[in-house]
Amino acid sequence: MAAAAEPGARAWPGDGSPRPGSPACSPVLGARGRARPGSGPERTGRTTGSAAPGHSFRKVTLTKPTFCHLCSDFIWGLAGFLCDVCNFMSHEKCLKQVKTPCTSVVPSLVRVPVAHCFGPRGLYKRKFCGVCRKGLEVPAFRCEVCELHVHPDCVPFACSDCRQCHQDGHQDHDTYQHHWREGNLPSGARCEVCRKTCGSSDVLAGVRCEWCGIQAHSVCSAVLAPECSFGRLRSMVLPPTCVRLLSRNFSKMHCFRIPETAGPEPGDGEDSLDGSAATGPSRETLAALDSSKQTLKIFDGNDTMRRNQFRLVTLPRLASSQEVLEVALRAYYISEDPQDFELQALPLPPLTGDAQAPGKAGSNGTTEEGSRGSGPREPTPEAWVIRALPRAQEVLKIYPGWLKVGVAYVSIRVTPQSTARAVVLEVLPLFGRQAEDPESFQLVEVLMGSRQVQRTVLADEEPLLDWLRDIRQTSVRQVSQTRFYVTESRTVAPHISLLVGGLPPGLSPQEYRNLLHEAMAIKAAVVSVSHVYPSQGAVVLDVTCFAEAERLYMLARDTAVHGRLLTALVLPDVLHLKLSPDCCPLLVFVNPKSGGLKGRDLLCSFRKLLNPHQVFELTNGGPLPGFHLFSQVPCFRVLVCGGDGTVGWVLATLEEMRHRLACPEPSVAILPLGTGNDLGRVLRWGAGYSGEDPFSVLVSVDEADAVLMDRWTILLDAQETGSAENSVVEAEPPKIVQMSNYCGIGIDAELSLDFHQAREEEPGKFTSRFHNKGVYVRVGLQKISHSRSLHKEIRLQVEQQEVELPSIEGLIFINIPSWGSGADLWGSDSDAKFEKPRMDDGLLEVVGVTGVVHMGQVQGGLRSGIRIAQGSYFRVTLLKATPVQVDGEPWVQAPGHMIISAAGPKVHMLKKAKQKPRKVGAIRDARVDTLPSPEGDPK
């Protein structure tokens, strides 16, 4: 019973991973595969003895140039070597240096199985599939958390090796190792070891750590220290060791708050294959069939037969049964010995070209004449199912669960007499736990699906050989995705936090309890309300039962209270006491509706660069969940990705949450995605995001300088004025809004309101900043002759003193030196009457404009506004309904009073540091910290 050395997060050769010839890595014997499309290989035989784990290399002669997946150089006019299973192509000289494992054995090399979060289909140019290594010429999937790209029909074969972003169950790792992901490196990527180019736009080559971003050749990565330091962004990353979430049956989409509408379409679910488009592992486009070729449907077990989901393979009509079997196994990435399998033919349907419903195939049982024979069959059935031959015994790997032992797994022999309890008794001494009570341990089956990792505790008397047989009957390939763990059978105390929003605001804790009990029948014995946010209409539920948490989560999304649908989010626990003193994690808020499609792309980028638990989508619960999650973090910063309205939304929520935060004054940075972006301009973040590298954005946030900014409260108290003209206007209840940038009354608010209404009617047209400004100009031209004599419709008091207004059409209160997409409304001329404006001086400047033409001149830099007043307390009386806008959010305000005054403490903003001139070549790669050179390397 051999014990294996413990691999890394993803074990590569040199880190204790199995070698070819071991049970985990036995190659497909006698397999004959297909070469890369267009390479035109001439079949010249097969080679053995490669050092690469699990590959089944065969020598081919190329008639067209292709690229080596190891060195990325041409293979032209020379003999190349092709893996029949995963299409890895190599020079003969590179063959012994290949360290990248074959797709067929990758699941056995994963240290901690973690499922992926595949987003919507998209077209990813010059990217390659991580399963079959082919280019993504058609819409494909990518994981929202790591850099994995896959074809739709390759999704079920994707290894569950996503990043482990939190502690789940008994897992407790104090250190993290590099999480290597192969290929799809950025252009110009250089190896950290040899400093040569390690990326390629032609093949899947090179590796990159998903946490620290270090890049290297797959061969060179073996000499790097296995521990990951999280790289340049380590002070901003929320360490996975400090996040705990008992997820059980919650999918990763739920855990990371990724809307399920962004997931793969129905039919592309777990363990599904798209029969209409699926092909063999080389994914060749089926050309017009000639008389010498045939296309077969291959099922791998009862599950795919029931769903009628199959793989298509193309091979010569005179192919023997053995050749058909080998091609079928390669289509499902099965690397076991073909001698252990057989093909059963499914009956041909009468009068049609499609296969009969596979569910009826079991009635006639097996294939016509021995499917394992060597002679050609005539005719060959069009549909086959792979079946495993009965086995008298098997060699099975048993993993130590989360026990701290010195091996990754042990191999034992399973016979018909082997039960789950017998396996536990046999394995414990091999793990050095023979002195402990065997009754406190259990055997757990872990199914490592690409989208969900499922755990099942086996009964003590469960016959293990029968269990494996049932798995193979369901799906032959599922065996390679199934592990068996010996774990301690201690009871885990469930604790799940659910944030439920969409409730009526302003209720007491008891009223919220009663409301939830009535709407969702919550069980008081296992559910308690831990936090109440009355102003947000949200509560946090602590649930001590997995089943109840799952029920409440699913039910909340279909429940309406007072005509409003509820929202529910699963939140982890941040172990703030485990954070290092120099850790200041970044809380990221992204508004995907801002900036066209850039917000959606930024969400994905930040989830990959940081811990996805610290990235929040504002359309899914707003800013509250993020501040609640970080409420106990002693020091953190905030990045808001959106327009000025989004920034104001986040700052208003921060003001409400300030007294609940361990870090009451976090600094806030901005990535401007809106149209005006005046606050972003003032803080040097630019006029708008235009596709800069998200990593560079995060580095700029880390290097930014903290500045103070005033915040203002506006009390809107609408009331009847006694005028007959306005008596038809209904009085509105008083409300309070927060202001950071400016407040406009009159013509500029009217333009904003018309623009806002146009965008609400056709939001799909407002995805371009240039188009938005064009619409704004058109709206302005329509108002150019408009006149409403605003100075006759309002009254202004500054510091309790009445101020006479000149003839104006718009009155604007400005807090920052930027208005209307960067215009200087106040002007730069010195004035003995007023102080020089600053955003932290506790004063607002009041400016008037005479109309649309005047506003255009201000934005063109030809004029300034009319300076009216400067102060810290203002009272505006509206004599009739008037358009008002605050930080770009417009509405029509009923007659009444507006009181503007300073709001609480100043907020800490982050101002982008000025760029320092850098010498070309002075910095090699900012993403990676300087690492000690390998032994013997003179650099």
Side-chain angles (χ1 to χ4, degrees):
M1 299 180 186
E6 182 170 1
R10 176 165 174 177
W12 298 84
D15 294 330
S17 55
R19 294 296 189 268
S22 68
C25 303
S26 57
V28 177
L29 303 179
R32 299 182 186 178
R34 296 170 296 184
R36 296 169 54 87
S39 61
E42 177 184 323
R43 304 182 181 215
T44 59
R46 190 170 175 276
T47 186
T48 58
S50 169
H55 287 294
S56 179
F57 279 114
R58 179 172 48 84
K59 188 175 183 179
V60 294
T61 300
L62 302 171
T63 58
K64 294 180 66 175
T66 187
F67 295 88
C68 175
H69 284 82
L70 183 67
C71 66
S72 303
D73 289 339
F74 276 118
I75 304 176
W76 171 252
L78 300 173
F81 288 83
L82 173 73
C83 175
D84 283 329
V85 180
C86 72
N87 303 309
F88 192 103
M89 181 69 74
S90 172
H91 290 107
E92 183 174 9
K93 64 180 180 179
C94 296
L95 194 61
K96 292 185 179 180
Q97 300 180 15
V98 175
K99 303 297 182 182
T100 305
C102 181
T103 301
S104 61
V105 301
V106 163
S108 66
L109 308 180
V110 178
R111 185 184 183 193
V112 179
V114 180
H116 292 284
C117 296
F118 292 113
R121 293 194 193 204
L123 189 59
Y124 304 106
K125 297 181 180 179
R126 306 194 74 83
K127 298 291 184 181
F128 297 88
C129 177
V131 176
C132 69
R133 314 184 69 86
K134 300 298 180 182
L136 302 179
E137 295 91 2
V138 297
F141 293 127
R142 71 175 177 185
C143 178
E144 297 280 318
V145 178
C146 70
E147 293 291 341
L148 182 67
H149 294 73
V150 289
H151 291 107
D153 54 297
C154 289
V155 168
F157 305 101
C159 179
S160 55
D161 61 345
C162 194
R163 290 190 298 161
Q164 185 189 7
C165 300
H166 58 262
Q167 306 303 316
D168 194 345
H170 297 301
Q171 302 173 32
D172 186 14
H173 304 290
D174 296 327
T175 61
Y176 259 62
Q177 298 184 348
H178 289 298
H179 188 109
W180 297 115
R181 175 70 65 212
E182 183 188 9
N184 293 320
L185 304 185
S187 58
R190 291 192 174 274
C191 176
E192 181 64 22
V193 178
C194 66
R195 303 311 304 169
K196 296 180 180 178
T197 301
C198 60
S200 174
S201 59
D202 300 300
V203 290
L204 198 68
V207 294
R208 171 172 52 193
C209 175
E210 292 295 319
W211 283 112
C212 68
I214 191 172
Q215 301 162 148
H217 296 101
S218 60
V219 177
C220 296
S221 65
V223 304
L224 295 171
E227 291 78 16
C228 180
S229 65
F230 294 95
R232 170 66 180 81
L233 304 178
R234 62 179 173 271
S235 64
M236 309 176 73
V237 174
L238 184 62
T241 54
C242 300
V243 184
R244 181 178 58 202
L245 177 60
L246 302 181
S247 59
R248 203 175 98 159
N249 290 336
F250 285 115
S251 72
K252 288 297 179 289
M253 306 290 278
H254 298 160
C255 296
F256 296 141
R257 305 166 304 279
I258 301 174
E260 292 181 275
T261 53
E265 297 86 346
D268 292 313
E270 181 56 59
D271 294 339
S272 68
L273 301 173
D274 186 354
S276 63
T279 66
S282 64
R283 306 189 75 256
E284 297 176 359
T285 303
L286 297 178
L289 296 178
D290 56 46
S291 59
S292 63
K293 297 289 185 180
Q294 61 180 342
T295 300
L296 305 179
K297 298 177 181 179
I298 305 295
F299 300 89
D300 86 320
N302 295 341
D303 189 54
T304 52
M305 291 168 60
R306 175 176 57 83
R307 302 185 186 190
N308 195 27
Q309 293 160 347
F310 48 84
R311 301 277 279 178
L312 294 177
V313 298
T314 303
L315 68 169
R317 290 189 178 277
L318 298 180
S320 67
S321 298
Q322 181 69 17
E323 291 172 326
V324 175
L325 175 61
E326 291 172 356
V327 172
L329 292 174
R330 290 198 301 272
Y332 282 94
Y333 296 92
I334 298 171
S335 60
E336 298 179 61
D337 190 343
Q339 301 301 318
D340 294 332
F341 300 90
E342 68 178 1
L343 287 178
Q344 291 181 358
L346 302 185
L348 292 174
L351 305 179
T352 64
D354 294 331
Q356 180 179 326
K360 300 179 181 178
S363 60
N364 90 327
T366 59
T367 174
E368 306 169 8
E369 65 181 79
S371 66
R372 305 173 58 79
S374 58
R377 295 179 303 278
E378 189 175 353
T380 302
E382 294 183 4
W384 300 79
V385 58
I386 306 173
R387 293 297 189 190
L389 295 175
R391 306 183 185 189
Q393 60 181 12
E394 289 201 35
V395 175
L396 193 63
K397 292 179 182 178
I398 305 296
Y399 292 77
W402 299 279
L403 308 176
K404 293 185 177 180
V405 297
V407 295
Y409 60 84
V410 295
S411 299
I412 65 171
R413 197 171 301 277
V414 176
T415 65
Q417 291 74 37
S418 300
T419 63
R421 175 52 51 188
V423 168
V424 171
L425 293 174
E426 185 178 355
V427 165
L428 285 179
L430 303 177
F431 288 146
R433 297 298 185 99
Q434 61 272 15
E436 301 187 34
D437 181 12
E439 296 298 324
S440 62
F441 294 89
Q442 60 190 3
L443 190 64
V444 179
E445 178 204 62
V446 177
L447 175 58
M448 305 186 299
S450 61
R451 293 197 186 97
Q452 190 169 11
V453 176
Q454 299 175 336
R455 298 175 174 87
T456 304
V457 179
L458 301 187
D460 287 348
E461 301 306 318
E462 186 71 51
L464 217 53
L465 201 62
D466 292 345
W467 188 271
L468 292 172
R469 182 200 60 210
D470 293 342
I471 293 176
R472 285 193 170 90
Q473 283 289 107
T474 301
S475 170
V476 171
R477 67 184 175 85
Q478 187 173 312
V479 176
S480 65
Q481 296 177 306
T482 303
R483 284 186 183 177
F484 293 91
Y485 287 80
V486 170
T487 65
E488 294 184 75
S489 53
R490 60 187 180 186
T491 303
V492 178
H495 175 264
I496 303 98
S497 295
L498 292 180
L499 190 146
V500 179
L503 296 166
L507 303 184
S508 67
Q510 187 59 45
E511 288 174 319
Y512 281 122
R513 291 188 185 93
N514 296 339
L515 192 60
L516 290 173
H517 180 74
E518 179 182 348
M520 299 191 296
I522 61 174
K523 300 176 182 178
V526 293
V527 181
S528 61
V529 178
S530 62
H531 296 79
V532 177
Y533 299 99
S535 61
Q536 303 281 339
V539 299
V540 178
L541 303 179
D542 279 351
V543 189
T544 58
C545 172
F546 283 120
E548 179 68 2
E550 293 159 10
R551 184 188 74 85
L552 292 176
Y553 178 81
M554 302 305 294
L555 181 61
R557 298 183 301 170
D558 297 324
T559 301
V561 175
H562 295 181
R564 183 181 176 187
L565 278 175
L566 300 182
T567 60
L569 297 176
V570 180
L571 296 181
D573 295 323
V574 176
L575 309 179
H576 60 280
L577 297 178
K578 296 182 66 175
L579 290 169
S580 61
D582 61 341
C583 181
C584 185
L586 185 68
L587 176 58
V588 181
F589 294 110
V590 181
N591 187 349
K593 294 184 177 180
S594 300
L597 300 177
K598 294 185 178 65
R600 177 65 60 188
D601 292 337
L602 283 171
L603 265 173
C604 189
S605 298
F606 288 141
R607 286 191 186 114
K608 294 175 182 177
L609 290 169
L610 304 170
N611 190 324
H613 284 299
Q614 62 190 109
V615 181
F616 287 79
E617 183 176 346
L618 286 172
T619 55
N620 191 15
L624 176 63
F627 286 122
H628 173 79
L629 181 64
F630 274 57
S631 60
Q632 298 302 314
V633 177
C635 178
F636 69 94
R637 287 171 288 186
V638 179
L639 172 63
V640 183
C641 306
D644 288 340
T646 302
V647 177
W649 183 16
V650 173
L651 292 179
T653 307
L654 173 61
E655 185 65 31
E656 293 181 6
M657 290 284 296
R658 190 184 301 275
H659 66 285
R660 297 174 181 252
L661 301 178
C663 177
E665 297 179 350
S667 299
V668 181
I670 300 172
L671 183 57
L673 299 181
T675 302
N677 302 313
D678 289 288
L679 185 55
R681 297 170 190 264
V682 171
L683 298 175
R684 295 202 195 108
W685 296 108
Y689 177 72
S690 56
E692 293 85 359
D693 179 19
F695 175 80
S696 301
V697 172
L698 295 179
V699 171
S700 297
V701 172
D702 194 38
E703 297 175 347
D705 303 317
V707 296
L708 295 175
M709 184 182 72
D710 296 325
R711 286 273 289 167
W712 299 85
T713 295
I714 303 178
L715 172 64
L716 302 168
D717 186 11
Q719 53 190 257
E720 299 293 339
T721 61
S723 169
E725 179 184 355
N726 298 319
S727 61
V728 295
V729 181
E730 296 183 1
E732 299 176 355
K735 64 177 182 179
I736 296 177
V737 297
Q738 302 287 331
M739 185 192 80
S740 300
N741 301 351
Y742 41 74
C743 170
I745 304 174
I747 185 61
D748 77 312
E750 190 173 347
L751 295 182
S752 295
L753 184 60
D754 289 348
F755 173 82
H756 178 75
Q757 291 172 344
R759 182 166 57 181
E760 289 293 314
E761 291 175 359
E762 297 180 290
K765 294 184 177 181
F766 289 77
T767 58
S768 164
R769 191 176 293 114
F770 180 79
H771 174 268
N772 294 355
K773 290 184 177 181
V775 173
Y776 203 91
V777 170
R778 187 177 73 239
V779 171
L781 292 176
Q782 295 172 353
K783 303 283 185 180
I784 198 167
S785 60
H786 174 80
S787 176
R788 66 181 298 155
S789 301
L790 182 70
H791 60 288
K792 298 179 181 179
E793 300 174 357
I794 66 174
R795 301 288 184 266
L796 173 65
Q797 290 183 359
V798 180
E799 309 290 0
Q800 308 295 332
Q801 298 293 322
E802 192 79 23
V803 175
E804 184 177 354
L805 295 176
S807 178
I808 56 175
E809 296 296 322
L811 186 68
I812 304 167
F813 301 82
I814 54 177
N815 184 46
I816 60 174
S818 179
W819 168 84
S821 301
D824 185 3
L825 187 59
W826 182 260
S828 57
D829 295 339
S830 58
D831 193 326
K833 183 179 178 181
F834 302 109
E835 298 182 17
K836 184 177 181 180
R838 297 200 325 269
M839 60 190 296
D840 63 342
D841 58 2
L843 299 175
L844 279 180
E845 286 68 49
V846 186
V847 184
V849 291
T850 59
V852 173
V853 174
H854 187 186
M855 292 170 60
Q857 292 171 333
V858 170
Q859 291 184 332
L862 303 177
R863 291 180 61 185
S864 299
I866 302 172
R867 298 179 182 179
I868 295 176
Q870 193 177 46
S872 59
Y873 181 86
F874 306 87
R875 183 184 184 92
V876 180
T877 302
L878 303 180
L879 303 179
K880 60 184 298 185
T882 307
V884 174
Q885 65 104 349
V886 175
D887 292 346
E889 301 297 322
W891 70 92
V892 175
Q893 180 61 28
H897 301 293
M898 295 176 57
I899 298 176
I900 306 176
S901 60
K906 304 177 189 296
V907 293
H908 294 248
M909 304 298 294
L910 288 173
K911 189 173 185 178
K912 187 176 181 180
K914 291 184 177 180
Q915 297 293 330
K916 299 179 180 179
R918 297 178 178 179
K919 296 181 180 179
V920 177
I923 297 181
R924 299 186 302 180
D925 189 354
R927 287 201 61 172
V928 184
D929 292 338
T930 303
L931 298 177
S933 300
E935 293 183 7
D937 191 342
K939 73 171 187 173

